[in-house]
Amino acid sequence: MTTETLEFQAEARQLLELMVHSIYSNKDIFLRELVSNASDALDKRRLAGLQDEGLSADDLHIEIEADKEARTLTVRDNGIGMSRDDVVELIGTIARSGTAEMLRRLKESKESAELIGQFGVGFYSVFMVADKVTLLTRKAGEETGVRWESDGDGTYTIEPVQSVEEAPEGTSVCVHLRPTDEDDALYDYADEGKIREIVKRYSDFISFPVLMAGDTLNSMKALWARPRSEVSEEEYREFYRHVSHDWTDPLDVIQMRAEGTFEYEALLFLPSRAPHDLYQRDARHGLQLYVKRVFILDDSRELLPDHLRFVKGVVDAADLSLNISREILQQDRHIQLIRRRLAKKVLASVKDLMTKDAEKYRTFWGEFGPVVKEGLLDGSEDHKAILDIASFASTAGEEPTTLADYVARMPEGQDKIYFMTGDSRAQVENSPHMEAFKAKGYEVLLLTDRVDEIWVEAVREHAGTEFKAITRGAVDLPSDEEPSVEEAGAYAAVLAWLNETLDDVKDVRLTTRLTNSPACLVSDTDGLTPALEKMYKAMGQELPPVKRILELNPQHPLVGAVKTAYDQRAGDPELAETAELLYGTALLAEGGDLADPARFAALLADRLSKTL
Ligand code: ADP
């Protein structure tokens, strides 16, 4: 027989190396990962049996065999199995997006073990306890089996196996155990007592029997069908790990049951950390779909709206066909109904967290807020519920605020929710646009997530209070005085001249919004903001240049001086340069980019040298 020696893919090799040096302290979990994989394979086999008459799916089970003499531990399943190509692709490489990024962070970080936990390394975790692993597998219905072996050093061997005794349908993983080293939490995994303990702790809910020496080690109870009071936190935690492939603990457990014409049960989890691939299109998001306890589909994104794609868990629907496909799922009326109900329930649970466990809520919103806010973009019916659970940075303090709290703090006379968008808190907070609001004691929300730029275009109000961008249109602070008529008259000529001289602005006018700064730039009431302009351009959209309005503070000495100078020597070319500097300063103050920084610097240097 031909034995081939192949190399693991580069990223897989790095991950393996981390495992061999076993940086993760809890080594017991390798068995959880093997049992979990076996259970997934049995789910697939059961499903294949339902769809293909010729394929039997009886007596599905997992068997564990420990050999103290040989120091081996074997986990065997009669599940779906793998072909040669499957083995190379699934075991020899890591297809998951973001692996390279995670490895880079691992190298830089000292808390690497924790990061590994976030990623979940699955099968490879076996190399924490093994110095060699032999995997024998045969895909259901295939002529030839496969023998795969590796000691985790970067290469593996693979060869075909004919004998059905040696490689029956399904998969067996034989772990050649490293010497026990209890100081390093490397226990004796050939010990039946230890195996029993691990299976009970981590894999009790697995819906197929896990057998050892004739005993069934697990209770096989579907967690979602059991009343909450009967299930321990630890059981929920382990189940979460099984469905999510995340090794950290969930933040919250959400259980629901719908009775009547369309029955279903759901057990959902809010993760405590955003996965590294939250924004990647090909990432594995979504819930597991079961029909009457039979696993049907993984990663069903149809069961929740996209803005809740980080939620993990199981939906078990009683009245769906076992043959349901993804395509049908997308259109099924009942599924759409479930999706709406689950979304409502998840958002309501977050609202509960806000009052019951503020810390957890803060964690949740910090990790997932930007994703949840995507739900504000599509006109979905979750709008109100999302704004109810949202919180935002604000000028009122370091802690984020909810809209309800913001509105409750609004002083007499304020009737709008004011906000400003931008790249960072510091930039927004120090922007000249903020001055009048500071002076008046009006709180402003500081919106610095990318998605904020977009949803503020779509959402006009919350609970009857209008949103208002402080960088758009004229300031409309109630009871604010407009620049006086005399002032306006006196400035008319210089404003008209500035407007003509500065190509990049649409208009020049006086304002009361500034107290300390000479000038600022504002968008038209319905004009594009600079951030939006940037975003559209990044998406490759052609846009005519977007011009904004230059607003001047007549109280500022520089503005007064420009006016006097213009009145006295209108044709002076230096005056046009001063106008440019005034405009450039306004742009810099809001964190914008100058079109010609070198020219600006030269003009400024020239001016400064004259003042010395
Ligand atoms: P994960 O389970 O998170 O996908 P693993 O590294 O544990 O990652 O496994 C990689 C893939 O190998 C699995 O997704 C599965 O397709 C395949 N696999 C692993 N173990 C088995 C098994 N016992 N039977 C069939 N396929 C398996």
mmCIF file of all heavy atoms in Angstrom, residues 33-42 44 75-77 79-82 86-87 89-91 93-94 96 119-125 135 137 170-173 244-245 284, ligand 1:
data_model
loop_
_atom_site.group_PDB
_atom_site.id
_atom_site.type_symbol
_atom_site.label_atom_id
_atom_site.label_comp_id
_atom_site.label_asym_id
_atom_site.label_seq_id
_atom_site.Cartn_x
_atom_site.Cartn_y
_atom_site.Cartn_z
ATOM 1 N N GLU A 33 -13.516 17.635 22.964
ATOM 2 C CA GLU A 33 -13.453 17.974 21.533
ATOM 3 C C GLU A 33 -13.627 16.726 20.669
ATOM 4 O O GLU A 33 -14.316 16.751 19.661
ATOM 5 C CB GLU A 33 -12.134 18.674 21.205
ATOM 6 C CG GLU A 33 -11.943 20.009 21.929
ATOM 7 C CD GLU A 33 -12.988 21.054 21.556
ATOM 8 O OE1 GLU A 33 -13.182 21.286 20.346
ATOM 9 O OE2 GLU A 33 -13.622 21.629 22.464
ATOM 10 N N LEU A 34 -12.988 15.606 21.070
ATOM 11 C CA LEU A 34 -13.119 14.374 20.275
ATOM 12 C C LEU A 34 -14.552 13.851 20.318
ATOM 13 O O LEU A 34 -15.108 13.433 19.299
ATOM 14 C CB LEU A 34 -12.152 13.302 20.792
ATOM 15 C CG LEU A 34 -10.650 13.568 20.590
ATOM 16 C CD1 LEU A 34 -9.826 12.377 21.087
ATOM 17 C CD2 LEU A 34 -10.327 13.848 19.126
ATOM 18 N N VAL A 35 -15.157 13.882 21.514
ATOM 19 C CA VAL A 35 -16.536 13.392 21.640
ATOM 20 C C VAL A 35 -17.487 14.306 20.859
ATOM 21 O O VAL A 35 -18.425 13.850 20.207
ATOM 22 C CB VAL A 35 -16.943 13.286 23.127
ATOM 23 C CG1 VAL A 35 -18.434 13.013 23.268
ATOM 24 C CG2 VAL A 35 -16.133 12.196 23.823
ATOM 25 N N SER A 36 -17.195 15.595 20.909
ATOM 26 C CA SER A 36 -18.029 16.557 20.202
ATOM 27 C C SER A 36 -17.962 16.325 18.689
ATOM 28 O O SER A 36 -18.992 16.317 17.994
ATOM 29 C CB SER A 36 -17.548 17.960 20.571
ATOM 30 O OG SER A 36 -18.369 18.927 20.017
ATOM 31 N N ASN A 37 -16.762 16.099 18.174
ATOM 32 C CA ASN A 37 -16.616 15.787 16.748
ATOM 33 C C ASN A 37 -17.342 14.494 16.386
ATOM 34 O O ASN A 37 -17.986 14.395 15.342
ATOM 35 C CB ASN A 37 -15.131 15.637 16.382
ATOM 36 C CG ASN A 37 -14.446 16.983 16.204
ATOM 37 O OD1 ASN A 37 -15.099 18.022 16.130
ATOM 38 N ND2 ASN A 37 -13.119 16.973 16.150
ATOM 39 N N ALA A 38 -17.222 13.482 17.267
ATOM 40 C CA ALA A 38 -17.882 12.197 17.008
ATOM 41 C C ALA A 38 -19.394 12.400 16.974
ATOM 42 O O ALA A 38 -20.092 11.863 16.104
ATOM 43 C CB ALA A 38 -17.493 11.189 18.084
ATOM 44 N N SER A 39 -19.889 13.211 17.895
ATOM 45 C CA SER A 39 -21.329 13.464 17.952
ATOM 46 C C SER A 39 -21.810 14.186 16.690
ATOM 47 O O SER A 39 -22.855 13.847 16.117
ATOM 48 C CB SER A 39 -21.630 14.276 19.216
ATOM 49 O OG SER A 39 -22.859 14.913 19.114
ATOM 50 N N ASP A 40 -21.026 15.163 16.232
ATOM 51 C CA ASP A 40 -21.372 15.854 14.976
ATOM 52 C C ASP A 40 -21.415 14.853 13.813
ATOM 53 O O ASP A 40 -22.289 14.919 12.947
ATOM 54 C CB ASP A 40 -20.330 16.935 14.634
ATOM 55 C CG ASP A 40 -20.405 18.127 15.582
ATOM 56 O OD1 ASP A 40 -21.403 18.217 16.332
ATOM 57 O OD2 ASP A 40 -19.466 18.944 15.571
ATOM 58 N N ALA A 41 -20.452 13.926 13.799
ATOM 59 C CA ALA A 41 -20.393 12.939 12.715
ATOM 60 C C ALA A 41 -21.608 12.008 12.767
ATOM 61 O O ALA A 41 -22.146 11.599 11.737
ATOM 62 C CB ALA A 41 -19.099 12.133 12.816
ATOM 63 N N LEU A 42 -22.061 11.712 13.977
ATOM 64 C CA LEU A 42 -23.248 10.859 14.118
ATOM 65 C C LEU A 42 -24.500 11.609 13.678
ATOM 66 O O LEU A 42 -25.394 11.044 13.042
ATOM 67 C CB LEU A 42 -23.379 10.381 15.566
ATOM 68 C CG LEU A 42 -22.282 9.411 16.029
ATOM 69 C CD1 LEU A 42 -22.320 9.234 17.547
ATOM 70 C CD2 LEU A 42 -22.420 8.052 15.347
ATOM 71 N N LYS A 44 -24.617 13.813 11.392
ATOM 72 C CA LYS A 44 -24.608 13.830 9.929
ATOM 73 C C LYS A 44 -25.016 12.474 9.363
ATOM 74 O O LYS A 44 -25.709 12.387 8.365
ATOM 75 C CB LYS A 44 -23.215 14.213 9.403
ATOM 76 C CG LYS A 44 -22.902 15.692 9.626
ATOM 77 C CD LYS A 44 -21.517 16.052 9.124
ATOM 78 C CE LYS A 44 -21.094 17.420 9.662
ATOM 79 N NZ LYS A 44 -19.640 17.566 9.754
ATOM 80 N N VAL A 75 -11.242 6.819 20.761
ATOM 81 C CA VAL A 75 -12.623 7.304 20.674
ATOM 82 C C VAL A 75 -13.134 6.921 19.299
ATOM 83 O O VAL A 75 -12.569 7.312 18.286
ATOM 84 C CB VAL A 75 -12.690 8.838 20.848
ATOM 85 C CG1 VAL A 75 -14.133 9.323 20.702
ATOM 86 C CG2 VAL A 75 -12.119 9.253 22.196
ATOM 87 N N ARG A 76 -14.189 6.095 19.293
ATOM 88 C CA ARG A 76 -14.666 5.536 18.032
ATOM 89 C C ARG A 76 -16.111 5.945 17.821
ATOM 90 O O ARG A 76 -16.907 5.952 18.760
ATOM 91 C CB ARG A 76 -14.566 4.012 18.147
ATOM 92 C CG ARG A 76 -14.596 3.263 16.830
ATOM 93 C CD ARG A 76 -14.341 1.775 17.049
ATOM 94 N NE ARG A 76 -12.971 1.480 17.439
ATOM 95 C CZ ARG A 76 -12.626 0.792 18.523
ATOM 96 N NH1 ARG A 76 -13.549 0.340 19.357
ATOM 97 N NH2 ARG A 76 -11.359 0.558 18.789
ATOM 98 N N ASP A 77 -16.454 6.308 16.606
ATOM 99 C CA ASP A 77 -17.868 6.571 16.303
ATOM 100 C C ASP A 77 -18.234 5.838 15.023
ATOM 101 O O ASP A 77 -17.366 5.556 14.201
ATOM 102 C CB ASP A 77 -18.126 8.081 16.154
ATOM 103 C CG ASP A 77 -17.434 8.694 14.954
ATOM 104 O OD1 ASP A 77 -17.855 8.388 13.812
ATOM 105 O OD2 ASP A 77 -16.477 9.486 15.135
ATOM 106 N N GLY A 79 -20.173 7.144 12.755
ATOM 107 C CA GLY A 79 -20.815 8.276 12.080
ATOM 108 C C GLY A 79 -20.491 8.349 10.606
ATOM 109 O O GLY A 79 -20.194 7.346 9.967
ATOM 110 N N ILE A 80 -20.491 9.582 10.095
ATOM 111 C CA ILE A 80 -20.409 9.805 8.651
ATOM 112 C C ILE A 80 -19.040 9.453 8.057
ATOM 113 O O ILE A 80 -18.933 9.102 6.897
ATOM 114 C CB ILE A 80 -20.804 11.270 8.316
ATOM 115 C CG1 ILE A 80 -21.134 11.449 6.842
ATOM 116 C CG2 ILE A 80 -19.718 12.255 8.743
ATOM 117 C CD1 ILE A 80 -22.440 10.852 6.417
ATOM 118 N N GLY A 81 -17.976 9.517 8.871
ATOM 119 C CA GLY A 81 -16.640 9.195 8.379
ATOM 120 C C GLY A 81 -16.086 10.226 7.411
ATOM 121 O O GLY A 81 -16.753 11.222 7.092
ATOM 122 N N MET A 82 -14.849 9.982 6.973
ATOM 123 C CA MET A 82 -14.217 10.930 6.054
ATOM 124 C C MET A 82 -13.543 10.174 4.919
ATOM 125 O O MET A 82 -12.986 9.105 5.122
ATOM 126 C CB MET A 82 -13.154 11.760 6.794
ATOM 127 C CG MET A 82 -13.721 12.811 7.732
ATOM 128 S SD MET A 82 -12.416 13.691 8.643
ATOM 129 C CE MET A 82 -12.183 12.598 10.036
ATOM 130 N N ASP A 86 -11.304 14.391 2.325
ATOM 131 C CA ASP A 86 -11.863 15.036 3.524
ATOM 132 C C ASP A 86 -10.795 15.151 4.595
ATOM 133 O O ASP A 86 -10.630 16.200 5.224
ATOM 134 C CB ASP A 86 -13.009 14.198 4.135
ATOM 135 C CG ASP A 86 -14.289 14.263 3.311
ATOM 136 O OD1 ASP A 86 -14.376 15.147 2.449
ATOM 137 O OD2 ASP A 86 -15.184 13.426 3.548
ATOM 138 N N VAL A 87 -10.071 14.046 4.807
ATOM 139 C CA VAL A 87 -9.081 14.035 5.889
ATOM 140 C C VAL A 87 -8.013 15.097 5.631
ATOM 141 O O VAL A 87 -7.661 15.874 6.520
ATOM 142 C CB VAL A 87 -8.431 12.641 6.036
ATOM 143 C CG1 VAL A 87 -7.303 12.684 7.074
ATOM 144 C CG2 VAL A 87 -9.469 11.609 6.462
ATOM 145 N N GLU A 89 -8.238 17.739 3.825
ATOM 146 C CA GLU A 89 -8.783 19.091 3.884
ATOM 147 C C GLU A 89 -9.201 19.480 5.299
ATOM 148 O O GLU A 89 -8.953 20.601 5.759
ATOM 149 C CB GLU A 89 -9.987 19.174 2.948
ATOM 150 C CG GLU A 89 -10.436 20.586 2.694
ATOM 151 C CD GLU A 89 -11.654 20.592 1.796
ATOM 152 O OE1 GLU A 89 -11.650 19.829 0.806
ATOM 153 O OE2 GLU A 89 -12.590 21.308 2.125
ATOM 154 N N LEU A 90 -9.838 18.556 6.001
ATOM 155 C CA LEU A 90 -10.419 18.915 7.305
ATOM 156 C C LEU A 90 -9.411 18.816 8.442
ATOM 157 O O LEU A 90 -9.438 19.593 9.382
ATOM 158 C CB LEU A 90 -11.620 18.020 7.613
ATOM 159 C CG LEU A 90 -12.791 18.122 6.627
ATOM 160 C CD1 LEU A 90 -13.794 17.014 6.876
ATOM 161 C CD2 LEU A 90 -13.455 19.488 6.763
ATOM 162 N N ILE A 91 -8.543 17.823 8.361
ATOM 163 C CA ILE A 91 -7.603 17.617 9.457
ATOM 164 C C ILE A 91 -6.248 18.257 9.139
ATOM 165 O O ILE A 91 -5.550 18.748 10.013
ATOM 166 C CB ILE A 91 -7.425 16.109 9.759
ATOM 167 C CG1 ILE A 91 -8.785 15.446 10.027
ATOM 168 C CG2 ILE A 91 -6.481 15.874 10.927
ATOM 169 C CD1 ILE A 91 -9.469 15.812 11.314
ATOM 170 N N THR A 93 -5.655 20.953 7.291
ATOM 171 C CA THR A 93 -5.639 22.409 7.162
ATOM 172 C C THR A 93 -6.621 23.026 8.154
ATOM 173 O O THR A 93 -7.466 22.339 8.713
ATOM 174 C CB THR A 93 -6.101 22.870 5.760
ATOM 175 O OG1 THR A 93 -7.469 22.508 5.614
ATOM 176 C CG2 THR A 93 -5.281 22.239 4.654
ATOM 177 N N ILE A 94 -6.460 24.323 8.345
ATOM 178 C CA ILE A 94 -7.454 25.035 9.146
ATOM 179 C C ILE A 94 -8.125 26.024 8.224
ATOM 180 O O ILE A 94 -7.516 26.977 7.763
ATOM 181 C CB ILE A 94 -6.803 25.776 10.313
ATOM 182 C CG1 ILE A 94 -6.123 24.743 11.196
ATOM 183 C CG2 ILE A 94 -7.836 26.540 11.111
ATOM 184 C CD1 ILE A 94 -5.300 25.366 12.268
ATOM 185 N N ARG A 96 -10.720 27.821 8.853
ATOM 186 C CA ARG A 96 -11.421 28.936 9.480
ATOM 187 C C ARG A 96 -10.764 30.278 9.190
ATOM 188 O O ARG A 96 -9.538 30.423 9.306
ATOM 189 C CB ARG A 96 -11.504 28.724 10.983
ATOM 190 C CG ARG A 96 -12.957 28.566 11.401
ATOM 191 C CD ARG A 96 -13.078 28.334 12.855
ATOM 192 N NE ARG A 96 -12.532 27.044 13.244
ATOM 193 C CZ ARG A 96 -12.384 26.702 14.513
ATOM 194 N NH1 ARG A 96 -12.716 27.545 15.470
ATOM 195 N NH2 ARG A 96 -11.914 25.519 14.826
ATOM 196 N N PHE A 119 -10.603 30.943 20.373
ATOM 197 C CA PHE A 119 -10.587 30.414 19.019
ATOM 198 C C PHE A 119 -11.143 28.991 18.990
ATOM 199 O O PHE A 119 -11.918 28.638 18.129
ATOM 200 C CB PHE A 119 -9.147 30.449 18.500
ATOM 201 C CG PHE A 119 -9.025 30.133 17.058
ATOM 202 C CD1 PHE A 119 -9.469 31.038 16.111
ATOM 203 C CD2 PHE A 119 -8.459 28.950 16.626
ATOM 204 C CE1 PHE A 119 -9.359 30.763 14.756
ATOM 205 C CE2 PHE A 119 -8.340 28.666 15.272
ATOM 206 C CZ PHE A 119 -8.785 29.584 14.343
ATOM 207 N N GLY A 120 -10.766 28.184 19.970
ATOM 208 C CA GLY A 120 -11.207 26.798 19.989
ATOM 209 C C GLY A 120 -10.469 26.011 18.926
ATOM 210 O O GLY A 120 -10.710 26.191 17.752
ATOM 211 N N VAL A 121 -9.543 25.167 19.315
ATOM 212 C CA VAL A 121 -8.722 24.524 18.297
ATOM 213 C C VAL A 121 -9.210 23.143 17.901
ATOM 214 O O VAL A 121 -8.632 22.505 17.048
ATOM 215 C CB VAL A 121 -7.241 24.437 18.723
ATOM 216 C CG1 VAL A 121 -6.605 25.796 18.672
ATOM 217 C CG2 VAL A 121 -7.128 23.814 20.065
ATOM 218 N N GLY A 122 -10.298 22.676 18.516
ATOM 219 C CA GLY A 122 -10.914 21.428 18.079
ATOM 220 C C GLY A 122 -9.968 20.235 18.132
ATOM 221 O O GLY A 122 -9.273 20.012 19.124
ATOM 222 N N PHE A 123 -9.951 19.504 17.050
ATOM 223 C CA PHE A 123 -9.211 18.251 16.964
ATOM 224 C C PHE A 123 -7.758 18.387 17.428
ATOM 225 O O PHE A 123 -7.219 17.517 18.108
ATOM 226 C CB PHE A 123 -9.256 17.743 15.517
ATOM 227 C CG PHE A 123 -8.478 16.484 15.286
ATOM 228 C CD1 PHE A 123 -8.979 15.254 15.675
ATOM 229 C CD2 PHE A 123 -7.222 16.541 14.686
ATOM 230 C CE1 PHE A 123 -8.250 14.088 15.471
ATOM 231 C CE2 PHE A 123 -6.484 15.383 14.470
ATOM 232 C CZ PHE A 123 -6.996 14.152 14.873
ATOM 233 N N TYR A 124 -7.129 19.493 17.064
ATOM 234 C CA TYR A 124 -5.701 19.652 17.380
ATOM 235 C C TYR A 124 -5.393 19.644 18.869
ATOM 236 O O TYR A 124 -4.259 19.433 19.278
ATOM 237 C CB TYR A 124 -5.149 20.955 16.774
ATOM 238 C CG TYR A 124 -5.000 20.905 15.269
ATOM 239 C CD1 TYR A 124 -5.431 19.811 14.548
ATOM 240 C CD2 TYR A 124 -4.412 21.959 14.594
ATOM 241 C CE1 TYR A 124 -5.306 19.764 13.173
ATOM 242 C CE2 TYR A 124 -4.273 21.917 13.205
ATOM 243 C CZ TYR A 124 -4.728 20.817 12.507
ATOM 244 O OH TYR A 124 -4.594 20.767 11.154
ATOM 245 N N SER A 125 -6.418 19.905 19.688
ATOM 246 C CA SER A 125 -6.172 19.937 21.126
ATOM 247 C C SER A 125 -5.674 18.575 21.625
ATOM 248 O O SER A 125 -5.067 18.468 22.684
ATOM 249 C CB SER A 125 -7.433 20.356 21.878
ATOM 250 O OG SER A 125 -8.473 19.453 21.601
ATOM 251 N N LEU A 135 -5.581 7.958 13.251
ATOM 252 C CA LEU A 135 -7.006 8.119 12.944
ATOM 253 C C LEU A 135 -7.351 7.158 11.810
ATOM 254 O O LEU A 135 -6.675 7.119 10.785
ATOM 255 C CB LEU A 135 -7.234 9.570 12.537
ATOM 256 C CG LEU A 135 -8.623 10.047 12.128
ATOM 257 C CD1 LEU A 135 -8.821 11.469 12.624
ATOM 258 C CD2 LEU A 135 -8.833 10.000 10.635
ATOM 259 N N THR A 137 -10.545 5.944 9.398
ATOM 260 C CA THR A 137 -11.896 6.402 9.057
ATOM 261 C C THR A 137 -12.348 5.834 7.732
ATOM 262 O O THR A 137 -11.521 5.491 6.873
ATOM 263 C CB THR A 137 -11.952 7.950 9.038
ATOM 264 O OG1 THR A 137 -13.296 8.365 8.798
ATOM 265 C CG2 THR A 137 -11.045 8.558 7.982
ATOM 266 N N GLY A 170 -17.247 5.089 9.718
ATOM 267 C CA GLY A 170 -17.118 5.945 10.883
ATOM 268 C C GLY A 170 -15.655 6.282 11.104
ATOM 269 O O GLY A 170 -14.832 6.111 10.197
ATOM 270 N N THR A 171 -15.366 6.736 12.316
ATOM 271 C CA THR A 171 -14.006 7.214 12.584
ATOM 272 C C THR A 171 -13.532 6.733 13.945
ATOM 273 O O THR A 171 -14.318 6.727 14.896
ATOM 274 C CB THR A 171 -13.997 8.765 12.593
ATOM 275 O OG1 THR A 171 -14.504 9.229 11.347
ATOM 276 C CG2 THR A 171 -12.594 9.319 12.811
ATOM 277 N N SER A 172 -12.275 6.313 14.009
ATOM 278 C CA SER A 172 -11.724 6.091 15.345
ATOM 279 C C SER A 172 -10.440 6.901 15.482
ATOM 280 O O SER A 172 -9.656 7.013 14.550
ATOM 281 C CB SER A 172 -11.462 4.597 15.588
ATOM 282 O OG SER A 172 -10.247 4.218 15.000
ATOM 283 N N VAL A 173 -10.295 7.491 16.633
ATOM 284 C CA VAL A 173 -9.106 8.296 16.901
ATOM 285 C C VAL A 173 -8.364 7.626 18.054
ATOM 286 O O VAL A 173 -8.902 7.531 19.160
ATOM 287 C CB VAL A 173 -9.488 9.735 17.295
ATOM 288 C CG1 VAL A 173 -8.240 10.550 17.624
ATOM 289 C CG2 VAL A 173 -10.287 10.399 16.183
ATOM 290 N N SER A 244 -21.076 26.078 20.171
ATOM 291 C CA SER A 244 -20.444 27.315 19.694
ATOM 292 C C SER A 244 -18.998 27.134 19.255
ATOM 293 O O SER A 244 -18.451 27.986 18.574
ATOM 294 C CB SER A 244 -20.455 28.356 20.807
ATOM 295 O OG SER A 244 -19.589 27.922 21.848
ATOM 296 N N HIS A 245 -18.372 26.050 19.686
ATOM 297 C CA HIS A 245 -16.934 25.862 19.476
ATOM 298 C C HIS A 245 -16.140 26.972 20.140
ATOM 299 O O HIS A 245 -15.017 27.262 19.754
ATOM 300 C CB HIS A 245 -16.572 25.790 17.986
ATOM 301 C CG HIS A 245 -17.249 24.672 17.266
ATOM 302 N ND1 HIS A 245 -16.624 23.470 17.025
ATOM 303 C CD2 HIS A 245 -18.498 24.554 16.774
ATOM 304 C CE1 HIS A 245 -17.487 22.665 16.397
ATOM 305 N NE2 HIS A 245 -18.608 23.311 16.238
ATOM 306 N N ARG A 284 -18.692 31.262 10.368
ATOM 307 C CA ARG A 284 -19.791 30.366 10.733
ATOM 308 C C ARG A 284 -20.680 31.038 11.761
ATOM 309 O O ARG A 284 -20.386 31.032 12.950
ATOM 310 C CB ARG A 284 -19.221 29.074 11.311
ATOM 311 C CG ARG A 284 -18.442 28.289 10.281
ATOM 312 C CD ARG A 284 -17.671 27.171 10.926
ATOM 313 N NE ARG A 284 -18.524 26.338 11.767
ATOM 314 C CZ ARG A 284 -18.116 25.178 12.277
ATOM 315 N NH1 ARG A 284 -16.933 24.727 12.026
ATOM 316 N NH2 ARG A 284 -18.927 24.480 13.035
HETATM 317 P P1 ADP B 1 -14.411 21.809 14.291
HETATM 318 O O1 ADP B 1 -15.012 20.588 14.924
HETATM 319 O O2 ADP B 1 -14.428 23.012 15.147
HETATM 320 O O3 ADP B 1 -14.925 22.036 12.894
HETATM 321 P P2 ADP B 1 -12.030 20.213 14.291
HETATM 322 O O4 ADP B 1 -10.611 20.579 14.092
HETATM 323 O O5 ADP B 1 -12.374 19.571 15.582
HETATM 324 O O6 ADP B 1 -12.855 21.531 14.068
HETATM 325 O O7 ADP B 1 -12.467 19.251 13.131
HETATM 326 C C1 ADP B 1 -12.312 19.617 11.789
HETATM 327 C C2 ADP B 1 -13.278 18.855 10.925
HETATM 328 O O8 ADP B 1 -12.884 17.499 10.786
HETATM 329 C C3 ADP B 1 -14.685 18.791 11.468
HETATM 330 O O9 ADP B 1 -15.422 19.946 11.142
HETATM 331 C C4 ADP B 1 -15.225 17.547 10.755
HETATM 332 O O10 ADP B 1 -15.687 17.892 9.457
HETATM 333 C C5 ADP B 1 -14.012 16.659 10.620
HETATM 334 N N1 ADP B 1 -14.012 15.662 11.689
HETATM 335 C C6 ADP B 1 -13.363 15.695 12.868
HETATM 336 N N2 ADP B 1 -13.621 14.589 13.594
HETATM 337 C C7 ADP B 1 -14.457 13.836 12.874
HETATM 338 C C8 ADP B 1 -15.117 12.560 13.073
HETATM 339 N N3 ADP B 1 -14.979 11.858 14.214
HETATM 340 N N4 ADP B 1 -15.914 12.098 12.059
HETATM 341 C C9 ADP B 1 -16.078 12.796 10.922
HETATM 342 N N5 ADP B 1 -15.498 13.986 10.684
HETATM 343 C C10 ADP B 1 -14.709 14.505 11.636
#
